[in-house]
Amino acid sequence: MAIGSKELAPAELDTFEDSRLLEELRKAKEELFNLRFQSATGQLESHGRLRAVKRDISRIYTVIRERELGIRATPAPVVAPAKATKKTKKAAEAEAPAADAEEAK
């Protein structure tokens, strides 16, 4: 992908949920509107950005349509694994005598 947003790479779009895709689409359309307005008033500095935003919109539409047709899978919700709690030496030593006391009973 030579031109376009780095955060909207096709591989990245695969990981987005449908609601996030629609939100990105709304943002891109809003940006395109603003860029067109700047172009009409002569204030646009980078004309390449117009092309990039149009391509981003097309990529998003493509991903949405492919999901509707079943060509591209909708991402499953990612569940973060529970973090293992780290025990300090003092906490481990404090638990050891308590465990020994329970075993003695």
Side-chain angles (χ1 to χ4, degrees):
M1 180 175 74
I3 296 178
S5 299
K6 292 180 181 176
E7 66 269 1
L8 292 182
E12 189 73 23
L13 289 174
D14 287 340
T15 62
F16 290 175
E17 294 181 9
D18 291 337
S19 59
R20 176 136 184 236
L21 274 176
L22 293 175
E23 180 64 25
E24 291 293 330
L25 180 64
R26 186 194 61 76
K27 287 180 188 176
K29 283 186 171 184
E30 185 176 330
E31 183 178 359
L32 182 62
F33 173 79
N34 290 333
L35 289 172
R36 284 182 175 160
F37 197 86
Q38 289 175 4
S39 178
T41 58
Q43 297 175 352
L44 185 62
E45 294 178 6
S46 62
H47 294 282
R49 188 66 189 144
L50 268 170
R51 184 177 182 189
V53 172
K54 286 180 184 179
R55 286 186 178 191
D56 288 342
I57 290 171
S58 296
R59 278 190 198 98
I60 294 170
Y61 273 132
T62 300
V63 170
I64 291 171
R65 182 65 178 148
E66 286 178 350
R67 286 184 183 177
E68 288 175 359
L69 296 174
I71 297 171
R72 194 180 296 240
T74 304
V78 178
V79 178
K83 291 185 178 180
T85 56
K86 292 184 179 180
K87 294 182 181 179
T88 61
K89 287 184 179 180
K90 290 181 181 178
E93 291 172 359
E95 288 183 7
D100 291 337
E102 287 181 14
E103 289 178 9
K105 289 183 182 180

